[in-house]
Amino acid sequence: ILSTLAENYSLILLDCDFNTNIEYFVNAQEIYLVQTYDILTIQPLTAFLNELQHKNVLDESKLRIVLNKTLNLRKLTDRMVIGGYNDPATTYQNNLFNKDTIRYTNIPFEDQTYAKYLERLVDCEVTLKGYSKAFLTALNKLGDMVYPLIANSSAPKNYNDYSKANKKQSSTQFNNN
């Protein structure tokens, strides 16, 4: 199935879970971990990554993280979430990948954006019209991270730059709170 898809398409996104055949992770060019600031989502994901590592399937160079529904918090940063909240029960995640160099981007949580999304979902309306500039910028960064060749600017974008930009943005947001 994968080889047929690869022959016919330039981009293939598969929504995988903990029961997905291990070969999909072996053959993937990139693996996106989607997590929120919720510790309940980090613990099972960390356990799954640990399982992949024990099966010699985990390749840090393939990993990308999407922090979904992020908030500006003074005591919690993106890197802390990526590192497993620095909680002794989850610190073995640091052995799975380097929290300081892993490529990531974030999608902010905004009440108005979420409300607009739910209202449009009820009306079966799919549009990005009316969302905040910060939210749309985050979606563009995610799009460029997944498929940088379709970036709107003439200069190619590199998702590695987003981790640096996110780091600067996070520290700026931290200092503004």
Side-chain angles (χ1 to χ4, degrees):
I1 293 173
L2 285 178
S3 61
T4 300
L5 288 170
E7 287 175 20
N8 294 307
Y9 300 98
S10 60
L11 176 66
I12 305 162
L13 297 174
L14 300 174
D15 185 9
C16 300
D17 62 18
F18 304 137
N19 297 315
T20 300
N21 184 319
I22 201 86
E23 289 300 313
Y24 285 93
F25 297 100
V26 170
N27 292 308
Q29 291 177 333
E30 294 180 337
I31 299 170
Y32 289 83
L33 311 174
V34 180
Q35 66 184 48
T36 65
Y37 275 19
D38 183 357
I39 190 69
L40 298 175
T41 63
I42 293 173
Q43 290 176 336
L45 183 57
T46 302
F48 178 68
L49 291 173
N50 195 39
E51 181 182 331
L52 289 179
Q53 185 180 51
H54 285 301
K55 293 179 180 180
N56 293 320
V57 173
L58 188 64
D59 180 352
E60 182 176 348
S61 68
K62 291 181 179 184
L63 293 178
R64 312 289 183 264
I65 296 179
V66 178
L67 293 175
N68 193 24
K69 301 177 187 171
T70 60
L71 297 168
N72 294 328
L73 303 172
R74 281 185 262 176
K75 294 186 178 185
L76 185 63
T77 66
D78 290 351
R79 292 292 177 186
M80 288 174 70
V81 172
I82 292 168
Y85 289 103
N86 294 326
D87 179 59
T90 59
T91 53
Y92 67 93
Q93 182 173 357
N94 291 328
N95 297 329
L96 299 172
F97 57 81
N98 185 330
K99 71 177 178 67
D100 296 318
T101 60
I102 193 81
R103 297 171 184 154
Y104 82 100
T105 192
N106 60 25
I107 308 295
F109 179 80
E110 301 169 333
D111 286 335
Q112 288 182 322
T113 297
Y114 191 59
K116 190 173 297 228
Y117 162 75
L118 290 175
E119 289 171 354
R120 289 181 173 167
L121 189 64
V122 169
D123 294 334
C124 298
E125 182 182 352
V126 180
T127 180
L128 294 176
K129 184 179 177 185
Y131 288 120
S132 74
K133 184 176 180 178
F135 182 74
L136 293 175
T137 299
L139 289 183
N140 280 329
K141 288 178 182 180
L142 177 60
D144 291 344
M145 185 178 187
V146 173
Y147 200 58
L149 298 177
I150 61 172
N152 290 334
S153 72
S154 58
K157 293 183 180 179
N158 182 342
Y159 51 68
N160 292 329
D161 296 338
Y162 293 127
S163 289
K164 293 173 191 166
N166 282 340
K167 193 176 215 178
K168 288 178 187 172
Q169 182 181 12
S170 294
S171 63
T172 302
Q173 293 168 348
F174 178 80
N175 291 333
N176 289 337
N177 285 329

